Amino acid sequence: MTDLAATLRSALAEQVAAKNPSLDPAWAAALAAVPRELFVDHSTYRPTAAGWEPAHRAQLGEEQWLRMVYTDQTWVTQVDGTDAADAQAPLTGAPTSSGTKPSLVVRTLHTTGLRPGDKVLEVGTGTGYSTALLCHQLGQDHVVSVEYDTDVARRAATHLSKAGFAPTLVQADGLRGHQDAAEYDAIVATCSIRSIPRSWLYQITDNGSITCTLSGWMLASGMIRLTLDENGDAHGRFLAGGDTVSYMLARPHERPPRPTLYRHPGDTRPTRIPPSLLTDPTGRFVAQLAAPSAELVTVGDSYVLVDVATGSQAWTESGAPDTAVHQHGPLRLWDQVEDAIMTWQKEGAPDITAFGMTATPDDQYVWLTDADGPCWPLPV
């Protein structure tokens, strides 16, 4: 099956390069060289009506397994802390680790602008596949990778060793970076975050960069590359297509348990915006900026905002543009979201590339159009 794996690997690299003509050929070459089957090695989960169903290599057979591994798809490897290898029946719950789809991995790594000789800190080792791609491109001595989960870190170390790579691996909270090996030319996160950790700003070189996906509890996202200026502040603009990125939130940035979901009548008034705007990726991103501690839940054609910090709630009666909205609790969540979305609409409702971000050791905010335009603070 060695020849089949190599053939599938080359085909995947060609497929990814064809879909993204701007991709640096070096990253396509890394895809063609690094055996993904060493990283998604024995078991994974597949989504079914019954939940996350474990799929095991021994049961599927080698050819079917290899063809599955070399599809450009994310394969969930852990659900609520249970590794796929340990699961014998479908599980319900949230994915907590995965082998991210290769096209997204190399797109993220391409965005970093890394060059030979650069030193990188990767936050989120995961299966170790992205770490291996970095090692292939930069050399293992230039790669430091941090993983939060002890079991995931242990498995990644095994995978990387089998693939012949020995980067610096650290089991710790990657939001703290890794000071012992600083400074870095770049930090790249293969998890999403709600804001930039201050430690990252202190651990990159002058003119160093941070590439990450900004997300939150409404699961809206935007990929961005920030560059450090001479004052130690980082600035950048969100990238096209970044609002479709789906990296898992870093564990410390995951939401706490949601308050009981109920639709309290509260104060009622007509909405000023069509609630369906929250289904637009950029519209949801704006809503998340306006209410960063709230979740968005849909119940039929009703949109429900639940603030996990205060228990405040807002919900619409239906999806019609002139529907009523009910608000209850210390925060007027719908007011906050409406104001932000109306500001976005006033600017012409541009896509994610019209937004940028500034992160300093003391303050962080996302701005629209330019740094002097409308802005929203991030939770820090």
Side-chain angles (χ1 to χ4, degrees):
M1 291 294 176
T2 302
D3 290 344
L4 176 60
T7 299
L8 294 172
R9 196 155 52 245
S10 296
L12 174 63
E14 291 173 5
Q15 174 192 344
V16 169
K19 287 184 177 179
N20 185 359
S22 65
L23 182 69
D24 185 335
W27 292 116
L31 281 182
V34 175
R36 195 184 187 206
E37 73 272 18
L38 296 181
F39 298 89
V40 184
D41 54 347
H42 295 300
S43 302
T44 187
Y45 287 101
R46 295 183 290 192
T48 68
W52 293 100
E53 180 181 45
H56 304 293
R57 188 173 189 165
Q59 296 171 344
L60 292 179
E62 192 66 8
E63 180 174 347
Q64 185 178 349
W65 180 264
L66 289 174
R67 293 189 182 279
M68 185 186 77
V69 164
Y70 283 107
T71 56
D72 187 28
Q73 184 171 334
T74 294
W75 293 109
V76 172
T77 54
Q78 187 189 75
V79 172
D80 282 347
T82 299
D83 186 72
D86 300 324
Q88 302 303 317
L91 300 179
T92 57
T96 45
S97 189
S98 67
T100 303
K101 63 190 298 185
S103 60
L104 176 54
V105 172
V106 293
R107 178 181 162 204
T108 304
L109 300 183
H110 169 89
T111 298
T112 64
L114 286 162
R115 298 165 297 181
D118 282 349
K119 183 178 182 180
V120 64
L121 171 66
E122 177 191 39
V123 178
T125 314
T127 64
Y129 182 61
S130 55
T131 318
L133 296 174
L134 285 166
C135 290
H136 182 275
Q137 177 76 332
L138 302 176
Q140 63 189 26
D141 293 340
H142 295 269
V143 178
V144 179
S145 187
V146 184
E147 171 56 47
Y148 186 88
D149 185 291
T150 303
D151 290 337
V152 172
R154 175 180 50 78
R155 287 191 293 271
T158 300
H159 298 160
L160 285 159
S161 177
K162 288 181 178 178
F165 297 115
T168 299
L169 300 176
V170 182
Q171 190 279 305
D173 180 0
L175 298 184
R176 298 179 180 272
H178 183 58
Q179 181 62 46
D180 290 354
E183 293 177 323
Y184 307 99
D185 297 292
I187 293 176
V188 57
T190 54
C191 54
S192 60
I193 55 176
R194 298 178 71 215
S195 59
I196 304 295
R198 290 184 179 88
S199 59
W200 294 6
L201 298 173
Y202 297 136
Q203 292 180 26
I204 56 176
T205 61
D206 294 341
N207 300 313
S209 69
I210 297 170
T211 300
C212 61
T213 299
L214 190 75
S215 189
W217 297 341
M218 292 191 199
L219 305 183
S221 61
M223 185 182 289
I224 192 167
R225 181 178 183 269
L226 300 144
T227 304
L228 200 70
D229 67 17
E230 63 277 6
N231 298 317
D233 302 334
H235 312 270
R237 188 176 289 274
F238 288 92
L239 305 171
D243 52 0
T244 61
V245 174
S246 56
Y247 281 119
M248 296 176 189
L249 272 168
R251 300 282 181 93
H253 280 189
E254 283 281 6
R255 66 165 179 80
R258 179 197 302 152
T260 301
L261 181 61
Y262 66 94
R263 287 182 281 184
H264 192 285
D267 299 326
T268 306
R269 63 166 176 82
T271 63
R272 294 179 291 161
I273 61 168
S276 59
L277 281 173
L278 273 66
T279 64
D280 176 270
T282 309
R284 183 176 291 210
F285 184 76
V286 173
Q288 184 174 268
L289 293 173
S293 58
E295 283 188 85
L296 174 64
V297 182
T298 54
V299 181
D301 60 357
S302 176
Y303 294 79
V304 185
L305 295 172
V306 186
D307 187 80
V308 300
T310 66
S312 301
Q313 298 188 10
W315 59 278
T316 62
E317 289 184 354
S318 72
D322 58 350
T323 189
V325 61
H326 303 262
Q327 300 186 85
H328 172 72
L331 299 181
R332 288 297 181 258
L333 295 174
W334 199 260
D335 292 357
Q336 296 172 207
V337 166
E338 273 185 339
D339 288 344
I341 286 183
M342 291 175 72
T343 297
W344 169 58
Q345 290 178 314
K346 185 178 178 180
E347 298 292 324
D351 68 15
I352 194 73
T353 59
F355 292 79
M357 178 179 173
T358 296
T360 77
D362 301 315
D363 191 22
Q364 294 186 37
Y365 54 94
V366 170
W367 40 262
L368 176 56
T369 306
D370 58 53
D372 295 322
C375 63
W376 296 269
L378 293 175
V380 292

